[in-house]
């Protein structure tokens, strides 16, 4: 089974300091940019960086398998974006006990043994989503929140932040929250289409990550009428959705910085330096009013072949 995940990027000798980065997925735009940031962090160093992950964000068992494998390989540090906030705790604790530095990025876990946590303040970002959507609501109908799987820590925090804030901004308004089993764009699209058929009076929609945002945008492109929609994360399709006024706003993270500082934290720990226990990565709101500024964001440029070669799992 391991061969399904250990593809590309031949491993160098573990005589070098070796850092393994395990993302939630490899095919989404967000994780491709995290990959580029992670590889930029080892430039001008003798660090061996390994990037390994499943293609989609619904394989916590695969992440656990990879953690166990690299613990047994006695790597020096692991940078992990956990798919599940509880399921990976025992493997993380095993790694720390073995002397491996563990940096968590993007989403939380519920063990406190980790060396550092670098992520968006996801609860606050969800609350921001409620502010943005509430300003666009024009009917008294229910608001739809499209979440990922319930155990996806980052998405769960965004969802809760949105719900708490919306209840304050619009007391008494019904909030419908749905979750995905596999977290795919297709599942989101089908689920959203079904909700809109059953509840045509939906007043607004909020999504919690790139895949759910893609799925709802697909539905909005075929839906008769206009429903205010605030989405999370970004790619070319989502930015086109903003330009076409299908999306009111995108709450965008800093994936390049998350990858870069996650790996840099690992390097500094291996050098005996201290790093912050927790670091917040800020968000930016992209709307039709400021979208031209977004064209300078790193994930939108044409990625050079040489840079793609550093992240073959993501770009092949």
């Amino acid at each position: 089974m391991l061969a399904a995940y250990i593809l590309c990027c031949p491993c160098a000798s573990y005589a070098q300091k070796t850092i393994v980065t395990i993302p939630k997925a490899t095919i989404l735009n967000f994780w491709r940019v995290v990959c580029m940031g992670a590889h930029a962090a080892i430039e001008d160093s003798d660090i061996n960086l390994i990037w390994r992950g499943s293609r989609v964000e619904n394989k916590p068992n695969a992440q656990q398998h990879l953690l166990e494998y690299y613990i047994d390989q006695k790597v020096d540090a692991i940078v992990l974006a956990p798919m599940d906030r509880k399921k990976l705790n025992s493997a993380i604790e095993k790694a720390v006990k073995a002397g491996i530095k563990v940096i968590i990025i993007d989403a939380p876990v519920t063990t406190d043994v980790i060396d550092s946590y670098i992520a968006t303040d996801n609860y606050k970002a969800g609350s921001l989503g409620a502010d943005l959507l509430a300003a666009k609501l024009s009917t008294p109908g229910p608001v739809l929140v499209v979440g990922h799987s319930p155990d996806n820590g980052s998405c769960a925090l965004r969802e809760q932040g949105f719900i708490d804030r919306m209840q304050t901004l619009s007391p008494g308004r019904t909030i419908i929250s749905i979750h995905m089993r596999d977290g795919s764009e297709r599942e989101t699209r089908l689920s959203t289409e079904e909700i809109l058929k059953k509840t045509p009076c939906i007043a607004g929609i909020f999504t919690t990550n790139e895949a759910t945002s893609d799925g709802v945008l697909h539905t909005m492109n075929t839906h008769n009428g206009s429903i205010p929609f605030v989405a999370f994360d970004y790619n070319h399709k989502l930015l086109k959705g903003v330009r076409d006024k299908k999306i009111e706003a995108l709450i965008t993270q800093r994936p390049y910085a998350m990858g870069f500082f996650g790996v840099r934290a690992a390097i500094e720990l291996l050098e005996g330096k201290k790093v912050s226990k927790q670091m917040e990565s800020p968000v930016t709101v992209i709307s039709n009013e400021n979208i031209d500024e977004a064209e300078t964001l790193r994930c939108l440029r044409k990625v050079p072949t040489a840079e793609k070669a550093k992240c073959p799992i993501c770009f092949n």
Side-chain angles (χ1 to χ4, degrees):
M1 290 297 294
L2 187 61
Y5 307 103
I6 310 303
L7 300 174
C8 310
C9 291
C11 299
S13 166
Y14 289 129
Q16 289 179 272
K17 293 293 186 183
T18 297
I19 299 172
V20 179
T21 302
I22 304 174
K24 286 182 180 177
T26 58
I27 63 171
L28 293 175
N29 181 75
F30 183 90
W31 297 109
R32 290 175 172 178
V33 182
V34 172
C35 182
M36 290 189 288
H39 281 87
I42 65 163
E43 291 178 4
D44 302 320
S45 78
D46 61 354
I47 294 291
N48 174 39
L49 179 67
I50 300 171
W51 175 271
R52 292 291 183 271
S54 56
R55 288 174 62 79
V56 293
E57 291 190 10
N58 63 341
K59 305 290 184 184
N61 289 339
Q63 282 196 317
Q64 187 166 1
H65 188 70
L66 286 170
L67 280 168
E68 295 284 354
Y69 174 79
Y70 284 113
I71 292 167
D72 291 343
Q73 293 298 306
K74 297 181 172 57
V75 299
D76 299 287
I78 297 172
V79 180
L80 170 69
M83 296 184 200
D84 189 292
R85 51 188 163 181
K86 297 178 182 178
K87 194 166 189 175
L88 303 173
N89 285 352
S90 61
I92 292 168
E93 289 163 0
K94 180 180 177 181
V96 172
K97 189 174 181 180
I100 298 170
K101 304 300 182 184
V102 177
I103 295 87
I104 299 297
I105 62 171
D106 181 66
V109 290
T110 54
T111 178
D112 61 1
V113 302
I114 62 173
D115 292 284
S116 188
Y117 173 55
I118 303 170
T120 299
D121 185 329
N122 289 295
Y123 183 90
K124 185 168 69 176
S127 178
L128 173 61
D131 288 335
L132 294 167
L133 188 60
K136 300 295 183 179
L137 297 177
S138 59
T139 67
V143 166
L144 175 63
V145 184
V146 184
H148 202 270
S149 64
D151 290 321
N152 185 309
S154 55
C155 292
L157 285 168
R158 292 166 200 163
E159 179 182 343
Q160 194 59 56
F162 178 89
I163 291 171
D164 291 348
R165 180 62 175 161
M166 184 58 73
Q167 288 175 336
T168 298
L169 295 171
S170 187
R173 184 184 293 272
T174 299
I175 299 174
I176 301 171
S177 182
I178 62 173
H179 299 98
M180 304 299 112
R181 288 187 298 274
D182 65 19
S184 68
E185 182 272 343
R186 181 178 182 275
E187 183 187 13
T188 303
R189 171 169 49 84
L190 295 175
S191 298
T192 307
E193 288 171 355
E194 183 179 356
I195 287 285
L196 292 180
K197 286 178 183 177
K198 291 181 177 179
T199 314
C201 59
I202 293 291
I205 302 175
F206 174 69
T207 52
T208 57
N209 73 343
E210 184 179 344
T212 57
S213 298
D214 279 344
V216 170
L217 177 61
H218 188 284
T219 301
M220 291 296 97
N221 284 332
T222 59
H223 180 71
N224 292 325
S226 177
I227 300 175
F229 170 30
V230 172
F232 214 95
D233 289 331
Y234 69 131
N235 55 34
H236 287 286
K237 288 189 294 184
L238 294 173
L239 285 162
K240 185 176 185 302
V242 174
R243 288 194 182 279
D244 293 343
K245 300 186 178 179
K246 297 290 185 179
I247 299 175
E248 300 290 345
L250 293 173
I251 300 174
T252 67
Q253 303 183 84
R254 296 286 193 274
Y256 187 91
M258 215 175 289
F260 182 89
F261 288 110
V263 172
R264 284 305 309 171
I267 292 171
E268 290 176 6
L269 286 166
L270 294 177
E271 292 174 345
K273 299 176 183 177
K274 291 184 178 181
V275 301
S276 297
K277 186 73 173 178
Q278 184 166 333
M279 290 177 265
E280 179 182 346
S281 179
V283 298
T284 299
V285 175
I286 297 175
S287 66
N288 203 264
E289 287 72 31
N290 71 347
I291 192 169
D292 288 333
E293 299 170 26
E295 297 300 335
T296 63
L297 291 171
R298 188 174 181 88
C299 76
L300 297 179
R301 65 180 174 80
K302 185 175 180 181
V303 181
T305 300
E307 195 156 349
K308 285 184 179 181
K310 297 176 184 177
C311 312
I313 293 176
C314 298
F315 289 98
N316 286 343

